[in-house]
Amino acid sequence: MTIRDLATIAQIAPNNISLLETDKTKAKLHTLRRLSSALDAPVSYLGCFESLPEDTLGQRISKARHFHGLTKRELAATIGVNVKTLREWEQDKRQPLQRYIGQLKTYMAILKN
């Protein structure tokens, strides 16, 4: 598949794909989703999120969200909190209440812990 073919399928400018291939830019989540669909590869594989830190709970939540290809808004809606709350968790400003820990563990199961 050529860059032009991939660009057409993923509805991304060929120049943007070239920039991604040469590490001159980082793909945003919506771009990774389009590429994931076009290449039939998981967002986690394309995003190379393995190197993201996971020293704190907030970092682990953020890394898991990225692995699953979810925006903050999507994950927040899925677990029933507002985006501000999720952002504060990811920034380690607040800890999730116990009732959300089980739902978060489902998403964080992909991490190496």
Side-chain angles (χ1 to χ4, degrees):
M1 177 182 305
T2 67
I3 289 176
R4 189 169 301 283
D5 293 338
L6 179 57
T8 300
I9 294 167
Q11 298 177 339
I12 299 170
N15 185 49
N16 289 347
I17 293 175
S18 294
L19 291 172
L20 289 169
E21 282 189 329
T22 56
D23 288 328
K24 292 182 179 161
T25 190
K26 288 193 84 137
K28 300 218 184 280
L29 188 55
H30 68 277
T31 301
L32 286 175
R33 286 178 166 179
R34 288 178 180 206
L35 290 170
S36 172
S37 178
L39 296 170
D40 195 27
V43 170
S44 58
Y45 174 76
L46 297 175
C48 301
F49 300 123
E50 297 83 15
S51 63
L52 290 176
E54 50 184 276
D55 299 323
T56 67
L57 178 59
Q59 290 172 340
R60 290 192 301 273
I61 293 169
S62 177
K63 185 173 183 175
R65 179 177 58 76
H66 281 89
F67 259 81
H68 289 285
L70 298 172
T71 64
K72 286 180 181 134
R73 177 166 285 145
E74 291 167 334
L75 180 57
T78 300
I79 61 176
V81 298
N82 66 44
V83 177
K84 181 181 176 195
T85 299
L86 180 62
R87 186 178 315 113
E88 289 175 343
W89 293 348
E90 287 188 0
Q91 294 172 351
D92 291 306
K93 291 181 179 178
R94 289 179 53 198
Q95 295 291 309
L97 296 174
Q98 191 60 40
R99 65 180 176 221
Y100 300 113
I101 296 294
Q103 293 171 297
L104 289 170
K105 282 184 180 180
T106 301
Y107 287 95
M108 294 189 311
I110 49 87
L111 303 179
K112 64 183 177 187
N113 287 347

